[in-house]
Amino acid sequence: MDPRPTVVSAPMQLQVADDIRMKIQRGDLKPGDSLPTLGELMEQWSCSMNTARGGIALLKAQGLITAGRGRAPIVRIPPPRVIRSSERHQLEKDQARLPEPDRGAVGEAETNHYMPLHDQEFSSEYDQVEAGDEISAALQIAPTDAVLRRSYDARHRRTGQYLSTSVSYIPLGLISSNPSLLDARNEPWPGGTIHQLSTVGIEIASVIDEVTARMPTTVETQMWNLPDGVPLIFCRRISINTHGHPVEISDALYPADRTELRFVTPLQPWT
Amino acid sequence: MDPRPTVVSAPMQLQVADDIRMKIQRGDLKPGDSLPTLGELMEQWSCSMNTARGGIALLKAQGLITAGRGRAPIVRIPPPRVIRSSERHQLEKDQARLPEPDRGAVGEAETNHYMPLHDQEFSSEYDQVEAGDEISAALQIAPTDAVLRRSYDARHRRTGQYLSTSVSYIPLGLISSNPSLLDARNEPWPGGTIHQLSTVGIEIASVIDEVTARMPTTVETQMWNLPDGVPLIFCRRISINTHGHPVEISDALYPADRTELRFVTPLQPWT
DNA sequence: GAGTGGTCTAGACCACTGT
DNA sequence: CAGTGGTCTAGACCACTCC
């Protein structure tokens, strides 16, 4: 019944961390405020510097504070959230039938990232590879079948902060009849993926988004310059054609501290 | 250009962690395999025990391994994922108009958790509170208005693992005309929240899901017995009535290692 | 009981931030 | 330059697991 295995007091690291966390939650410490230094914590808790450090490390792992050499740690300032709404899917499909000048407003950036183009700077890269086990299963093709792989990185235009990376896969057989779809120099494509697929006779009937989250690896942390304790939201988008077959999948990663995914589900009215 | 600030070699903790991570990614170490002991790492890298420990701690924070006293750490075995699909919303609405015996198949558990009732055990708790700043803003009511607050915990029936906690808020004024809606003893309510609201003349026209993720606090980690390095998926569901007003919100937390949220977006066909 | 990881101490050197 | 946190060492005690 007692959650504690024995009747020992909580580790001192935990006490240090909990004390500071309560101060943050109560509002005694506000975002941007600097925390007590390790020296002060040593004295306050009569513990060694490494123990105080352990408490700070806990709070970092929970994403509550940011720390760096030579500067006292500060209470994390939550960055503004980018909202990526599923209503983009329908919007993009509507625009895909417009003539070119009107289509220009929507590009692949919006397809993958649900946000206006002008706020983000993004780079793309195309290549052609074998599907492999995981992708082929999702696209219902053979693992040795070739796919067009398109990789995108998006960062905030002003701050340079990373907003997303995504990788899209399309069976090469579906689109090889239109060679201009295979060339990264045509990015950003006016009208996005839904229009691209329409040029080879494909209509997207529905989109499935599969969402989960995980912690970044060491490489992702330093590549994206992520603060500690920030998870990545993983979203696999599967585009289904009018025959019920998947024709494109897109794996996207979003830093959770600056991303909110929004999904709108209209329901059939009662008669 | 060089991501490294100076030309020092990477910290030894990182080298230790990266070496093991590569072995996991290459498949040399498979889920369930035990890692080298701290003693072995000390010898292999000619470092102190605390340095080896630092590398292990990094991998724990990234969710790659699980460790515990007295046992060598092992490569994390991913738990089976529970898929919670947005198609539940329409299903629940369809069933809400059926007579009682047929409605029994769907309960609040499914409304909040998108999964069959029989797999999970859940407990609920009702009370009436002031909305407060955040909830009142989302429900477009005054902060001092009373709301019915319903808290749910769900855990897997066999393993006892926590699957979700959620808290639902409904303006009391909307439902006080039906007193049986205010009593937790009527849980699980056949037909779920959509039917409950229908008894006071409310029809849900659409549902908005807002999804993000964060790391658990120390309290959540021990309350739910979560492994290290597992984020929580946060999902706020907002139910909108036929007049476009929010009538219920539900804040749910799901451990990311055993949860996948799936959202299906049908698109209007081209003519 | 032997071996393991978790916590803690005391002390060292280094990198970075401020003034 | 002084002060700070980041990394590392050597050694101690304890709780837990497995044999």
Side-chain angles (χ1 to χ4, degrees):
Chain A
M1 289 302 138
D2 191 328
R4 293 166 302 179
T6 58
V7 198
V8 296
S9 59
M12 199 171 299
Q13 301 181 9
L14 263 184
Q15 296 181 42
V16 174
D18 283 353
D19 178 62
I20 296 177
R21 207 189 53 244
M22 276 197 300
K23 288 197 172 111
I24 294 175
Q25 286 171 343
R26 272 210 316 264
D28 297 351
L29 289 169
K30 295 188 176 53
D33 286 356
S34 51
L35 267 52
T37 65
L38 290 185
E40 288 165 349
L41 290 175
M42 282 171 66
E43 201 164 328
Q44 179 184 346
W45 295 90
S46 323
C47 65
S48 80
M49 178 168 288
N50 278 337
T51 302
R53 196 189 304 284
I56 297 294
L58 254 174
L59 297 171
K60 277 200 305 183
Q62 294 175 7
L64 287 174
I65 65 173
T66 62
R69 271 206 263 242
R71 207 175 27 199
I74 61 172
V75 180
R76 166 85 44 90
I77 303 172
R81 279 235 158 81
V82 172
I83 299 177
R84 306 176 187 273
S85 169
S86 67
E87 293 178 309
R88 273 279 155 217
H89 296 149
Q90 181 66 56
L91 249 168
E92 190 192 345
K93 182 163 180 180
D94 293 344
Q95 300 211 9
R97 305 213 86 190
L98 300 178
E100 152 96 47
D102 301 315
R103 249 191 294 130
V106 183
E108 173 61 24
E110 288 188 86
T111 308
N112 274 328
H113 314 311
Y114 313 98
M115 76 176 293
L117 189 58
H118 58 80
D119 275 352
Q120 59 185 326
E121 205 158 46
F122 80 110
S123 59
S124 53
E125 204 175 299
Y126 281 35
D127 56 357
Q128 298 172 23
V129 295
E130 277 197 2
D133 287 337
E134 202 204 332
I135 301 303
S136 67
L139 285 173
Q140 298 176 19
I141 57 177
T144 53
D145 283 355
V147 294
L148 174 68
R149 181 172 65 187
R150 308 178 295 170
S151 310
Y152 301 92
D153 279 308
R155 57 173 77 207
H156 198 271
R157 193 175 288 281
R158 300 194 203 194
T159 59
Q161 271 196 333
Y162 262 100
L163 294 173
S164 69
T165 61
S166 62
V167 187
S168 156
Y169 302 88
I170 305 176
L172 204 56
L174 289 181
I175 49 171
S176 47
S177 61
N178 183 355
S180 62
L181 295 181
L182 308 180
D183 192 338
R185 282 169 298 184
N186 294 322
E187 288 278 2
W189 184 285
T193 298
I194 291 192
H195 180 266
Q196 288 179 307
L197 291 171
S198 77
T199 66
V200 291
I202 295 173
E203 175 181 353
I204 302 301
S206 65
V207 176
I208 300 173
D209 288 280
E210 297 173 348
V211 179
T212 186
R214 62 169 175 80
M215 292 308 288
T217 65
T218 313
V219 178
E220 289 165 335
T221 299
Q222 47 194 36
M223 257 189 33
W224 291 22
N225 194 26
L226 292 175
D228 289 318
V230 172
L232 296 176
I233 299 175
F234 175 79
C235 181
R236 165 166 291 182
R237 183 192 66 193
I238 307 173
S239 299
I240 311 284
N241 69 7
T242 48
H243 305 301
H245 285 101
V247 292
E248 189 234 358
I249 71 176
S250 157
D251 288 340
L253 286 173
Y254 308 106
D257 63 344
R258 32 198 189 257
T259 307
E260 174 185 309
L261 303 185
R262 175 171 300 180
F263 298 93
V264 180
T265 308
L267 302 181
Q268 307 279 341
W270 283 332
T271 50
Chain B
M1 288 300 139
D2 192 328
R4 293 166 301 180
T6 58
V7 197
V8 298
S9 58
M12 201 171 299
Q13 300 182 8
L14 262 184
Q15 295 181 43
V16 173
D18 283 354
D19 178 61
I20 296 177
R21 207 189 54 244
M22 276 198 300
K23 287 197 172 114
I24 294 176
Q25 286 172 342
R26 272 210 316 263
D28 297 352
L29 290 169
K30 295 187 177 54
D33 287 355
S34 52
L35 265 54
T37 66
L38 290 185
E40 289 165 349
L41 290 175
M42 282 171 66
E43 201 165 328
Q44 180 186 347
W45 295 90
S46 324
C47 66
S48 81
M49 178 166 290
N50 278 337
T51 301
R53 196 188 304 285
I56 297 296
L58 254 174
L59 297 171
K60 277 201 303 184
Q62 295 175 5
L64 288 174
I65 66 173
T66 63
R69 270 205 262 244
R71 210 176 24 202
I74 60 173
V75 180
R76 168 85 45 91
I77 303 173
R81 279 237 158 82
V82 173
I83 298 177
R84 307 176 186 273
S85 169
S86 67
E87 293 178 308
R88 273 279 154 215
H89 296 148
Q90 182 66 57
L91 249 167
E92 190 192 346
K93 181 162 180 181
D94 293 343
Q95 300 210 10
R97 305 214 86 191
L98 299 180
E100 152 94 47
D102 301 315
R103 248 191 296 129
V106 182
E108 173 59 25
E110 289 187 87
T111 307
N112 274 329
H113 313 314
Y114 312 98
M115 77 177 292
L117 189 58
H118 58 81
D119 275 352
Q120 59 184 327
E121 205 158 45
F122 79 109
S123 60
S124 54
E125 203 176 301
Y126 281 34
D127 56 357
Q128 298 170 23
V129 295
E130 276 196 1
D133 287 337
E134 203 204 332
I135 301 300
S136 67
L139 285 173
Q140 299 176 18
I141 59 178
T144 53
D145 284 354
V147 294
L148 175 67
R149 180 173 63 186
R150 309 179 294 168
S151 310
Y152 301 92
D153 279 307
R155 59 174 75 206
H156 199 270
R157 193 175 288 282
R158 302 194 200 194
T159 59
Q161 271 195 335
Y162 262 100
L163 293 174
S164 69
T165 61
S166 62
V167 188
S168 156
Y169 302 88
I170 306 176
L172 204 57
L174 289 182
I175 50 170
S176 48
S177 60
N178 183 356
S180 63
L181 293 181
L182 309 180
D183 191 338
R185 283 169 298 184
N186 294 322
E187 289 277 1
W189 185 285
T193 298
I194 291 191
H195 179 266
Q196 287 179 308
L197 291 171
S198 77
T199 67
V200 291
I202 295 173
E203 175 180 353
I204 303 301
S206 64
V207 176
I208 300 174
D209 288 279
E210 298 174 347
V211 180
T212 186
R214 62 169 175 80
M215 289 311 286
T217 66
T218 313
V219 178
E220 290 165 333
T221 300
Q222 47 195 35
M223 257 190 31
W224 292 21
N225 194 26
L226 292 175
D228 289 319
V230 172
L232 295 176
I233 300 174
F234 174 79
C235 181
R236 165 165 290 181
R237 183 193 63 195
I238 306 172
S239 299
I240 311 284
N241 69 7
T242 48
H243 305 300
H245 285 102
V247 293
E248 189 235 358
I249 71 175
S250 159
D251 286 341
L253 286 173
Y254 308 106
D257 62 344
R258 33 200 191 256
T259 308
E260 174 185 310
L261 302 185
R262 175 171 302 179
F263 298 93
V264 180
T265 309
L267 301 182
Q268 306 278 343
W270 282 331
T271 49

Short mmCIF file of all heavy atoms in Angstrom, two decimals, chain B residues 10-13 46-48 50-51 53 69-71, chain D residues 6-18:
data_model
loop_
_atom_site.label_atom_id
_atom_site.label_comp_id
_atom_site.label_asym_id
_atom_site.label_seq_id
_atom_site.Cartn_x
_atom_site.Cartn_y
_atom_site.Cartn_z
N ALA B 10 34.56 15.29 -27.32
CA ALA B 10 33.26 15.18 -26.67
C ALA B 10 33.44 14.64 -25.25
O ALA B 10 34.37 13.87 -24.98
CB ALA B 10 32.36 14.27 -27.48
N PRO B 11 32.58 15.06 -24.32
CA PRO B 11 32.64 14.54 -22.96
C PRO B 11 32.54 13.01 -22.97
O PRO B 11 31.87 12.43 -23.82
CB PRO B 11 31.40 15.15 -22.28
CG PRO B 11 31.07 16.34 -23.08
CD PRO B 11 31.54 16.06 -24.48
N MET B 12 33.24 12.40 -22.02
CA MET B 12 33.30 10.95 -22.03
C MET B 12 31.92 10.32 -21.81
O MET B 12 31.60 9.29 -22.38
CB MET B 12 34.27 10.46 -20.97
CG MET B 12 34.76 9.05 -21.25
SD MET B 12 36.08 8.58 -20.15
CE MET B 12 37.30 9.81 -20.57
N GLN B 13 31.09 10.95 -20.97
CA GLN B 13 29.71 10.47 -20.78
C GLN B 13 29.02 10.28 -22.13
O GLN B 13 28.40 9.25 -22.39
CB GLN B 13 28.87 11.49 -20.01
CG GLN B 13 29.36 11.84 -18.65
CD GLN B 13 28.42 12.83 -17.98
OE1 GLN B 13 27.35 13.10 -18.50
NE2 GLN B 13 28.82 13.34 -16.83
N SER B 46 38.19 3.34 -19.32
CA SER B 46 39.14 3.89 -18.34
C SER B 46 38.60 5.16 -17.71
O SER B 46 39.25 6.22 -17.76
CB SER B 46 40.51 4.18 -18.98
OG SER B 46 40.83 3.23 -19.95
N CYS B 47 37.42 5.07 -17.17
CA CYS B 47 36.83 6.23 -16.53
C CYS B 47 36.33 5.83 -15.16
O CYS B 47 36.35 4.65 -14.80
CB CYS B 47 35.68 6.81 -17.37
SG CYS B 47 34.26 5.72 -17.49
N SER B 48 35.89 6.82 -14.39
CA SER B 48 35.39 6.51 -13.06
C SER B 48 33.97 5.97 -13.17
O SER B 48 33.32 6.08 -14.20
CB SER B 48 35.39 7.76 -12.19
OG SER B 48 34.26 8.54 -12.47
N ASN B 50 31.31 7.12 -11.75
CA ASN B 50 30.31 8.16 -11.91
C ASN B 50 30.21 8.63 -13.37
O ASN B 50 29.16 9.03 -13.82
CB ASN B 50 30.63 9.36 -11.01
CG ASN B 50 30.14 9.11 -9.61
OD1 ASN B 50 29.24 8.30 -9.39
ND2 ASN B 50 30.75 9.78 -8.64
N THR B 51 31.32 8.59 -14.08
CA THR B 51 31.27 8.99 -15.49
C THR B 51 30.48 7.97 -16.29
O THR B 51 29.60 8.32 -17.10
CB THR B 51 32.69 9.12 -16.04
OG1 THR B 51 33.38 10.09 -15.27
CG2 THR B 51 32.66 9.56 -17.48
N ARG B 53 28.26 6.10 -15.13
CA ARG B 53 26.87 6.29 -14.71
C ARG B 53 26.21 7.44 -15.47
O ARG B 53 25.03 7.37 -15.84
CB ARG B 53 26.86 6.60 -13.21
CG ARG B 53 25.54 6.45 -12.54
CD ARG B 53 25.61 6.97 -11.13
NE ARG B 53 26.65 6.35 -10.34
CZ ARG B 53 26.56 5.12 -9.86
NH1 ARG B 53 25.50 4.42 -10.10
NH2 ARG B 53 27.53 4.61 -9.14
N ARG B 69 17.81 -0.65 -9.35
CA ARG B 69 18.85 -1.09 -8.43
C ARG B 69 19.06 -2.60 -8.49
O ARG B 69 18.09 -3.35 -8.57
CB ARG B 69 18.48 -0.70 -7.01
CG ARG B 69 19.00 0.66 -6.63
CD ARG B 69 19.16 0.73 -5.15
NE ARG B 69 18.00 1.38 -4.55
CZ ARG B 69 18.09 2.53 -3.90
NH1 ARG B 69 19.22 3.14 -3.80
NH2 ARG B 69 17.03 3.05 -3.36
N GLY B 70 20.30 -3.00 -8.40
CA GLY B 70 20.60 -4.41 -8.26
C GLY B 70 20.54 -5.21 -9.54
O GLY B 70 20.87 -6.38 -9.54
N ARG B 71 20.11 -4.58 -10.61
CA ARG B 71 19.94 -5.30 -11.87
C ARG B 71 20.63 -4.51 -12.94
O ARG B 71 20.54 -3.28 -12.96
CB ARG B 71 18.45 -5.40 -12.17
CG ARG B 71 18.03 -6.62 -12.96
CD ARG B 71 16.53 -6.64 -13.09
NE ARG B 71 15.95 -5.30 -12.96
CZ ARG B 71 14.70 -5.08 -12.62
NH1 ARG B 71 13.91 -6.08 -12.34
NH2 ARG B 71 14.25 -3.85 -12.56
P DG D 6 25.28 23.13 -15.54
OP1 DG D 6 24.34 22.99 -16.67
OP2 DG D 6 25.07 22.38 -14.30
"O5'" DG D 6 26.72 22.76 -16.11
"C5'" DG D 6 27.05 23.07 -17.47
"C4'" DG D 6 28.15 22.15 -17.96
"O4'" DG D 6 29.34 22.39 -17.18
"C3'" DG D 6 27.83 20.67 -17.78
"O3'" DG D 6 28.31 19.95 -18.92
"C2'" DG D 6 28.56 20.30 -16.51
"C1'" DG D 6 29.79 21.20 -16.58
N9 DG D 6 30.34 21.54 -15.28
C8 DG D 6 29.64 21.99 -14.19
N7 DG D 6 30.40 22.21 -13.16
C5 DG D 6 31.68 21.90 -13.58
C6 DG D 6 32.91 21.94 -12.89
O6 DG D 6 33.13 22.28 -11.74
N1 DG D 6 33.97 21.54 -13.70
C2 DG D 6 33.85 21.14 -15.01
N2 DG D 6 34.97 20.78 -15.63
N3 DG D 6 32.69 21.10 -15.66
C4 DG D 6 31.66 21.48 -14.89
P DT D 7 28.24 18.39 -18.94
OP1 DT D 7 28.20 18.00 -20.37
OP2 DT D 7 27.22 17.92 -17.98
"O5'" DT D 7 29.65 17.96 -18.37
"C5'" DT D 7 30.80 18.09 -19.20
"C4'" DT D 7 32.00 17.56 -18.45
"O4'" DT D 7 32.07 18.19 -17.16
"C3'" DT D 7 31.98 16.06 -18.16
"O3'" DT D 7 33.02 15.46 -18.89
"C2'" DT D 7 32.15 15.94 -16.66
"C1'" DT D 7 32.71 17.30 -16.28
N1 DT D 7 32.44 17.77 -14.89
C2 DT D 7 33.50 17.95 -14.05
O2 DT D 7 34.66 17.76 -14.38
N3 DT D 7 33.18 18.39 -12.80
C4 DT D 7 31.90 18.64 -12.32
O4 DT D 7 31.73 19.02 -11.16
C5 DT D 7 30.84 18.43 -13.25
C7 DT D 7 29.42 18.68 -12.84
C6 DT D 7 31.15 18.01 -14.49
P DC D 8 33.15 13.88 -18.93
OP1 DC D 8 33.97 13.56 -20.11
OP2 DC D 8 31.81 13.33 -18.79
"O5'" DC D 8 33.98 13.50 -17.62
"C5'" DC D 8 35.30 13.99 -17.49
"C4'" DC D 8 35.81 13.73 -16.09
"O4'" DC D 8 35.12 14.58 -15.15
"C3'" DC D 8 35.59 12.33 -15.53
"O3'" DC D 8 36.77 11.55 -15.73
"C2'" DC D 8 35.31 12.55 -14.04
"C1'" DC D 8 35.41 14.06 -13.88
N1 DC D 8 34.45 14.63 -12.89
C2 DC D 8 34.93 15.05 -11.65
O2 DC D 8 36.13 14.94 -11.41
N3 DC D 8 34.06 15.55 -10.74
C4 DC D 8 32.76 15.64 -11.05
N4 DC D 8 31.95 16.15 -10.13
C5 DC D 8 32.25 15.22 -12.31
C6 DC D 8 33.13 14.72 -13.20
P DT D 9 36.87 10.05 -15.13
OP1 DT D 9 37.89 9.35 -15.93
OP2 DT D 9 35.52 9.50 -15.00
"O5'" DT D 9 37.46 10.26 -13.67
"C5'" DT D 9 38.63 11.03 -13.50
"C4'" DT D 9 39.01 11.06 -12.03
"O4'" DT D 9 38.09 11.91 -11.31
"C3'" DT D 9 38.95 9.68 -11.35
"O3'" DT D 9 40.20 9.39 -10.74
"C2'" DT D 9 37.84 9.81 -10.32
"C1'" DT D 9 37.75 11.32 -10.09
N1 DT D 9 36.37 11.76 -9.75
C2 DT D 9 36.15 12.37 -8.54
O2 DT D 9 37.02 12.57 -7.72
N3 DT D 9 34.85 12.74 -8.32
C4 DT D 9 33.79 12.56 -9.18
O4 DT D 9 32.67 12.93 -8.88
C5 DT D 9 34.09 11.91 -10.42
C7 DT D 9 33.01 11.66 -11.41
C6 DT D 9 35.35 11.55 -10.66
P DA D 10 40.60 7.90 -10.41
OP1 DA D 10 42.07 7.82 -10.58
OP2 DA D 10 39.69 6.97 -11.09
"O5'" DA D 10 40.27 7.82 -8.85
"C5'" DA D 10 40.80 8.79 -7.97
"C4'" DA D 10 40.26 8.55 -6.58
"O4'" DA D 10 38.96 9.20 -6.48
"C3'" DA D 10 40.01 7.06 -6.24
"O3'" DA D 10 40.60 6.77 -4.98
"C2'" DA D 10 38.51 6.91 -6.25
"C1'" DA D 10 38.04 8.32 -5.87
N9 DA D 10 36.72 8.67 -6.38
C8 DA D 10 36.17 8.34 -7.59
N7 DA D 10 34.96 8.80 -7.76
C5 DA D 10 34.68 9.47 -6.58
C6 DA D 10 33.55 10.19 -6.14
N6 DA D 10 32.44 10.33 -6.88
N1 DA D 10 33.60 10.76 -4.91
C2 DA D 10 34.72 10.61 -4.18
N3 DA D 10 35.85 9.96 -4.50
C4 DA D 10 35.76 9.41 -5.72
P DG D 11 40.58 5.28 -4.38
OP1 DG D 11 41.86 5.08 -3.70
OP2 DG D 11 40.12 4.34 -5.43
"O5'" DG D 11 39.44 5.38 -3.27
"C5'" DG D 11 39.38 6.52 -2.42
"C4'" DG D 11 38.02 6.59 -1.77
"O4'" DG D 11 37.03 7.12 -2.70
"C3'" DG D 11 37.46 5.24 -1.29
"O3'" DG D 11 37.14 5.31 0.09
"C2'" DG D 11 36.22 5.05 -2.14
"C1'" DG D 11 35.82 6.49 -2.41
N9 DG D 11 34.88 6.63 -3.50
C8 DG D 11 34.98 6.10 -4.77
N7 DG D 11 33.94 6.37 -5.52
C5 DG D 11 33.11 7.12 -4.71
C6 DG D 11 31.85 7.69 -4.95
O6 DG D 11 31.18 7.64 -6.00
N1 DG D 11 31.35 8.37 -3.85
C2 DG D 11 32.00 8.47 -2.64
N2 DG D 11 31.38 9.15 -1.69
N3 DG D 11 33.19 7.95 -2.39
C4 DG D 11 33.68 7.29 -3.45
P DA D 12 36.86 3.92 0.93
OP1 DA D 12 37.82 3.92 2.05
OP2 DA D 12 36.76 2.78 -0.01
"O5'" DA D 12 35.39 4.16 1.50
"C5'" DA D 12 35.13 5.37 2.22
"C4'" DA D 12 33.63 5.60 2.24
"O4'" DA D 12 33.19 5.89 0.90
"C3'" DA D 12 32.83 4.36 2.66
"O3'" DA D 12 32.43 4.49 4.02
"C2'" DA D 12 31.60 4.39 1.73
"C1'" DA D 12 31.83 5.56 0.81
N9 DA D 12 31.54 5.28 -0.60
C8 DA D 12 32.34 4.64 -1.50
N7 DA D 12 31.81 4.55 -2.70
C5 DA D 12 30.58 5.17 -2.57
C6 DA D 12 29.53 5.40 -3.48
N6 DA D 12 29.57 5.02 -4.75
N1 DA D 12 28.45 6.05 -3.02
C2 DA D 12 28.42 6.42 -1.74
N3 DA D 12 29.34 6.27 -0.80
C4 DA D 12 30.41 5.63 -1.29
P DC D 13 31.83 3.17 4.76
OP1 DC D 13 32.04 3.41 6.19
OP2 DC D 13 32.34 1.93 4.10
"O5'" DC D 13 30.28 3.26 4.45
"C5'" DC D 13 29.55 4.43 4.83
"C4'" DC D 13 28.17 4.34 4.23
"O4'" DC D 13 28.28 4.41 2.80
"C3'" DC D 13 27.43 3.03 4.53
"O3'" DC D 13 26.19 3.33 5.16
"C2'" DC D 13 27.24 2.38 3.17
"C1'" DC D 13 27.30 3.57 2.24
N1 DC D 13 27.72 3.22 0.86
C2 DC D 13 26.88 3.51 -0.23
O2 DC D 13 25.80 4.08 -0.01
N3 DC D 13 27.26 3.17 -1.48
C4 DC D 13 28.43 2.56 -1.67
N4 DC D 13 28.77 2.25 -2.92
C5 DC D 13 29.31 2.26 -0.59
C6 DC D 13 28.92 2.60 0.64
P DC D 14 25.25 2.15 5.71
OP1 DC D 14 24.66 2.67 6.96
OP2 DC D 14 25.98 0.87 5.68
"O5'" DC D 14 24.10 2.08 4.60
"C5'" DC D 14 23.48 3.28 4.15
"C4'" DC D 14 22.58 2.98 2.97
"O4'" DC D 14 23.39 2.73 1.80
"C3'" DC D 14 21.71 1.74 3.15
"O3'" DC D 14 20.36 2.07 2.85
"C2'" DC D 14 22.28 0.73 2.16
"C1'" DC D 14 22.86 1.64 1.09
N1 DC D 14 23.98 1.04 0.31
C2 DC D 14 23.86 0.95 -1.08
O2 DC D 14 22.84 1.38 -1.63
N3 DC D 14 24.88 0.41 -1.78
C4 DC D 14 25.97 -0.02 -1.16
N4 DC D 14 26.95 -0.55 -1.90
C5 DC D 14 26.11 0.06 0.26
C6 DC D 14 25.10 0.59 0.94
P DA D 15 19.21 1.06 3.25
OP1 DA D 15 18.15 1.89 3.87
OP2 DA D 15 19.78 -0.12 3.95
"O5'" DA D 15 18.66 0.57 1.83
"C5'" DA D 15 18.23 1.54 0.90
"C4'" DA D 15 17.86 0.86 -0.40
"O4'" DA D 15 19.06 0.39 -1.05
"C3'" DA D 15 16.96 -0.36 -0.24
"O3'" DA D 15 16.02 -0.34 -1.30
"C2'" DA D 15 17.93 -1.54 -0.35
"C1'" DA D 15 18.97 -0.99 -1.31
N9 DA D 15 20.32 -1.53 -1.14
C8 DA D 15 20.98 -1.75 0.03
N7 DA D 15 22.20 -2.22 -0.13
C5 DA D 15 22.34 -2.30 -1.51
C6 DA D 15 23.40 -2.71 -2.33
N6 DA D 15 24.57 -3.15 -1.86
N1 DA D 15 23.21 -2.66 -3.66
C2 DA D 15 22.03 -2.22 -4.13
N3 DA D 15 20.96 -1.80 -3.46
C4 DA D 15 21.19 -1.87 -2.13
P DC D 16 14.81 -1.36 -1.28
OP1 DC D 16 13.63 -0.58 -1.71
OP2 DC D 16 14.81 -2.10 0.02
"O5'" DC D 16 15.17 -2.37 -2.43
"C5'" DC D 16 15.46 -1.86 -3.74
"C4'" DC D 16 16.26 -2.88 -4.50
"O4'" DC D 16 17.53 -3.07 -3.86
"C3'" DC D 16 15.63 -4.27 -4.57
"O3'" DC D 16 15.09 -4.44 -5.87
"C2'" DC D 16 16.78 -5.23 -4.26
"C1'" DC D 16 18.00 -4.33 -4.27
N1 DC D 16 19.10 -4.73 -3.34
C2 DC D 16 20.28 -5.25 -3.86
O2 DC D 16 20.38 -5.39 -5.07
N3 DC D 16 21.28 -5.61 -3.01
C4 DC D 16 21.12 -5.44 -1.69
N4 DC D 16 22.13 -5.79 -0.89
C5 DC D 16 19.93 -4.90 -1.13
C6 DC D 16 18.93 -4.55 -1.99
P DT D 17 14.27 -5.76 -6.22
OP1 DT D 17 13.28 -5.37 -7.22
OP2 DT D 17 13.88 -6.41 -4.95
"O5'" DT D 17 15.34 -6.70 -6.94
"C5'" DT D 17 16.21 -6.15 -7.91
"C4'" DT D 17 17.16 -7.23 -8.42
"O4'" DT D 17 18.27 -7.40 -7.51
"C3'" DT D 17 16.53 -8.61 -8.58
"O3'" DT D 17 16.95 -9.14 -9.82
"C2'" DT D 17 17.07 -9.40 -7.39
"C1'" DT D 17 18.44 -8.75 -7.18
N1 DT D 17 18.96 -8.76 -5.77
C2 DT D 17 20.29 -9.06 -5.55
O2 DT D 17 21.06 -9.31 -6.44
N3 DT D 17 20.66 -9.01 -4.22
C4 DT D 17 19.85 -8.73 -3.13
O4 DT D 17 20.31 -8.73 -1.99
C5 DT D 17 18.48 -8.44 -3.44
C7 DT D 17 17.51 -8.12 -2.34
C6 DT D 17 18.09 -8.47 -4.73
P DC D 18 16.28 -10.44 -10.41
OP1 DC D 18 16.05 -10.19 -11.85
OP2 DC D 18 15.19 -10.84 -9.50
"O5'" DC D 18 17.46 -11.51 -10.27
"C5'" DC D 18 18.77 -11.18 -10.73
"C4'" DC D 18 19.76 -12.16 -10.14
"O4'" DC D 18 19.96 -11.85 -8.74
"C3'" DC D 18 19.31 -13.62 -10.19
"O3'" DC D 18 20.31 -14.40 -10.82
"C2'" DC D 18 19.08 -14.00 -8.72
"C1'" DC D 18 20.05 -13.05 -8.02
N1 DC D 18 19.67 -12.73 -6.61
C2 DC D 18 20.66 -12.66 -5.61
O2 DC D 18 21.84 -12.86 -5.94
N3 DC D 18 20.31 -12.37 -4.34
C4 DC D 18 19.02 -12.16 -4.05
N4 DC D 18 18.71 -11.86 -2.78
C5 DC D 18 17.99 -12.22 -5.04
C6 DC D 18 18.36 -12.50 -6.29
#
